[in-house]
Amino acid sequence: MKLWGGVFTRKTEKLADEFNSSLCFDCRLYKHDILGSIAHCKMLGSQKIISEKESKLIIDGLEQILKDIENSKLKIEGAEDIHSFVEQELIKRIGETGKKLHTARSRNDQVATDIRMYLKDSIDNTVTKLKNLCAVMLEHAQNHADTIMAGYTHMQKAQPITLGHYFNAYVCMFLRDIERLKDCKKRIDGLPLGSGALAGTTYPIDRELTAKLLGFAEISPNSLDAVSDRDFLVEYISACALIGLHMSKIAEEWIYWACDEFSYITLDEGYSTGSSIMPQKKNPDMLELIRGKSAKIIGNLTSAAALLKAQPLSYNKDLQEDKPIIFDTEDNINICIDVLCGVIKTVKFNTDKMYSSALGGYSSATDIADYLAKKGVPFRDAHNLTGRIVLYCIKNNLKLEDLKLNDFKKFNPIFEQDVLDAVKLENVVNNRKSFGGTAPDQVRKTIEILEKKLKEL
Ligand code: ARG
């Protein structure tokens, strides 16, 4: 049964019906669609647009339908979309009164309401997952506030850092992601229902009541905008694209870290895969898929923007295509967060390898330049002289830590015994006490700040 057809003189083509149908994907909105209808019907009853008795009958019918879907007693099939399905099922069950449900609304304001309700819940769910990820990372940060590793710029060893510092960096990113999702939710929180097809309605509806019943913070103030606004689609996917991008960065790093050449980490076998031909292989497929799926979300962002860019006001059927983009983004982001959480929880850090790697690569060179500068040598000269010391080490296959005081003095007599301390990795790290720096004490302070923020979010 169709919700329309009175004006038609012949049947639509089967192909056209198939093309037009969205039930195979918008069935996912069943709960929000039914809850939206229940609130709408309560409002119709309280405004005497339909009788209290009719309202009650419809609500009971809708509640039963919801229950039956959730208990798998009712299969969602045989309709154009989820809105048609619920209405036709209601009429099947309660008869003529069911036909009154759609009074004072259109599928245009209905679907706009459903998708906003759905996405508000979905964002809460993703935020919970992100908070969990942050908590797992902060635990590693705490346990490894003193663990020294090489820090990189341009993928070249730059200065030693602590592993705790590294984790705090990612927590900063994911906290920003949580803020972005929550901020986006504010603009999803306006109720479109009551806007009708595009121009409002002639019935004496009470939109405040519907908004209150459905937990919306605001009511859309313009019906044309309300039925067509999908800005939040771009905002939501863009927030998710950034989450994906952050996850992809760590995935990329850890793919390197897990390889034999780095050996900074050993991935748990529970989160590794084998090769069908090479028996020795343990592959980081989880991380590669996170990197791969984040590309999909970036693609969805482009799809969303392209979908919206040339649509005249107000509702157009193009908007039906918003749902596969949203659901795909939601599924990908949620599974990636869960899997990354599992990988991070179970990973083993090869801290000796991290330490020995930080020892090489002359990563305490900046500290020699700083040492000289603090003794009055202009920093630019100190930089140049230190460069020559590094060159000497390279030629003689030495680490900076291998140099004796005499070696240093050959370059400048200003060097004293304490230069040997200045190049020690522990001191190089401990001395970076500036706010937000890598010194273990500072890392612990940052953990406190981030934990507080996480609790407040
Ligand atoms: N399935 C449609 C969608 O997702 C519902 C709205 C249909 N509105 C209409 N005027 N045909 O957008």
Side-chain angles (χ1 to χ4, degrees):
M1 189 194 81
K2 283 189 177 127
L3 297 183
W4 44 270
V7 76
F8 281 70
T9 54
R10 59 174 286 245
K11 280 177 95 178
T12 40
E13 295 291 338
K14 192 167 167 288
L15 180 64
D17 280 341
E18 280 168 13
F19 189 58
N20 195 37
S21 174
S22 53
L23 191 65
C24 63
F25 52 84
D26 67 16
C27 55
R28 204 148 145 171
L29 295 174
Y30 75 88
K31 186 170 131 207
H32 298 91
D33 188 75
I34 294 175
L35 294 177
S37 286
I38 290 175
H40 177 66
C41 193
K42 274 190 189 154
M43 183 278 292
L44 291 179
S46 111
Q47 291 299 98
K48 312 268 182 280
I49 297 169
I50 60 175
S51 75
E52 287 286 353
K53 203 171 141 217
E54 288 168 332
S55 165
K56 184 155 181 338
L57 191 63
I58 294 175
I59 291 168
D60 286 350
L62 289 170
E63 281 171 351
Q64 271 310 318
I65 293 173
L66 180 57
K67 222 186 201 170
D68 288 352
I69 295 174
E70 305 218 296
N71 297 334
S72 310
K73 277 195 199 142
L74 176 61
K75 255 182 109 181
I76 303 178
E77 60 190 2
E80 180 185 321
D81 56 24
I82 188 63
H83 327 293
S84 319
F85 172 79
V86 172
E87 191 174 322
Q88 94 191 16
E89 184 63 26
L90 183 72
I91 297 168
K92 216 193 278 170
R93 290 181 180 211
I94 68 166
E96 287 298 297
T97 312
K99 295 183 182 167
K100 295 202 171 182
L101 169 64
H102 211 51
T103 313
R105 81 172 180 191
S106 142
R107 274 187 298 166
N108 298 353
D109 55 350
Q110 183 180 358
V111 72
T113 303
D114 290 3
I115 198 76
R116 282 172 186 258
M117 286 168 68
Y118 181 90
L119 208 47
K120 282 203 301 171
D121 285 349
S122 167
I123 285 178
D124 288 346
N125 183 32
T126 303
V127 164
T128 305
K129 287 179 189 296
L130 279 176
K131 284 184 175 175
N132 192 21
L133 177 64
C134 287
V136 170
M137 287 189 157
L138 283 170
E139 203 180 315
H140 279 318
Q142 192 73 55
N143 293 337
H144 293 286
D146 299 276
T147 303
I148 292 175
M149 63 178 285
Y152 299 82
T153 61
H154 313 272
M155 211 41 215
Q156 304 284 316
K157 275 179 207 164
Q159 289 171 350
I161 57 169
T162 60
L163 182 54
H165 196 51
Y166 169 89
F167 274 114
N168 280 348
Y170 276 101
V171 174
C172 287
M173 293 177 225
F174 290 119
L175 287 179
R176 285 199 296 277
D177 290 330
I178 293 175
E179 281 175 346
R180 254 185 292 273
L181 280 177
K182 292 196 142 199
D183 191 60
C184 159
K185 195 179 154 193
K186 286 186 209 155
R187 280 172 294 284
I188 303 180
D189 211 4
L191 174 77
L193 203 62
S195 300
L198 74 162
T201 175
T202 55
Y203 295 92
I205 57 171
D206 180 354
R207 299 188 65 204
E208 298 278 354
L209 175 61
T210 317
K212 202 168 143 223
L213 290 171
L214 291 177
F216 275 93
E218 289 173 14
I219 302 173
S220 59
N222 178 286
S223 59
L224 281 178
D225 180 49
V227 296
S228 58
D229 170 26
R230 298 290 188 280
D231 292 358
F232 59 86
L233 190 66
V234 176
E235 281 193 66
Y236 165 72
I237 302 174
S238 141
C240 289
L242 277 167
I243 301 168
L245 196 144
H246 292 149
M247 289 197 286
S248 181
K249 276 162 73 84
I250 194 167
E252 167 85 359
E253 274 163 358
W254 285 28
I255 290 164
Y256 281 109
W257 287 15
C259 79
D260 193 42
E261 287 73 7
F262 271 83
S263 298
Y264 284 2
I265 53 171
T266 308
L267 296 171
D268 191 81
E269 290 192 1
Y271 286 98
S272 306
T273 43
S275 154
S276 58
I277 173 171
M278 296 164 282
Q280 84 283 12
K281 296 270 279 174
K282 275 190 202 161
N283 291 330
D285 289 26
M286 303 300 121
L287 296 168
E288 289 165 302
L289 282 171
I290 288 170
R291 196 173 55 184
K293 284 176 192 288
S294 70
K296 187 76 200 306
I297 299 174
I298 294 168
N300 287 347
L301 180 58
T302 312
S303 300
L307 179 72
L308 302 180
K309 80 174 250 299
Q311 285 192 50
L313 280 176
S314 56
Y315 177 86
N316 303 282
K317 199 58 177 265
D318 318 37
L319 291 177
Q320 181 163 284
E321 295 300 317
D322 62 355
K323 282 164 256 352
I325 307 177
I326 289 179
F327 299 149
D328 183 76
T329 303
E330 179 193 27
D331 289 345
N332 276 318
I333 208 69
N334 285 343
I335 186 94
C336 285
I337 299 172
D338 285 347
V339 170
L340 183 62
C341 228
V343 170
I344 294 179
K345 247 189 205 164
T346 53
V347 75
K348 293 271 167 311
F349 296 105
N350 306 325
T351 52
D352 290 347
K353 184 71 213 293
M354 285 182 167
Y355 187 89
S356 63
S357 183
L359 266 181
Y362 314 100
S363 61
S364 49
T366 313
D367 295 70
I368 299 174
D370 285 343
Y371 175 93
L372 290 169
K374 283 173 192 167
K375 285 194 179 286
V377 180
F379 183 78
R380 197 44 60 220
D381 295 338
H383 183 284
N384 186 278
L385 189 143
T386 309
R388 284 191 281 123
I389 295 175
V390 171
L391 188 61
Y392 169 82
C393 286
I394 295 171
K395 280 190 179 149
N396 295 285
N397 199 18
L398 294 167
K399 296 191 189 75
L400 286 172
E401 293 79 358
D402 297 333
L403 295 180
K404 306 273 179 301
L405 178 58
N406 270 348
D407 300 321
F408 280 108
K409 276 198 183 289
K410 272 183 224 150
F411 290 91
N412 193 327
I414 208 169
F415 281 114
E416 289 173 71
Q417 187 66 24
D418 57 354
V419 69
L420 302 183
D421 285 334
V423 296
K424 279 209 181 94
L425 279 188
E426 284 73 10
N427 296 332
V428 170
V429 167
N430 285 337
N431 288 337
R432 287 191 161 65
K433 295 192 200 49
S434 53
F435 184 81
T438 197
D441 285 346
Q442 192 53 48
V443 167
R444 280 184 270 269
K445 276 186 199 149
T446 302
I447 292 172
E448 269 176 41
I449 294 170
L450 299 178
E451 273 174 345
K452 187 163 170 273
K453 201 159 184 192
L454 184 58
K455 262 195 209 121
E456 284 163 4
L457 274 172

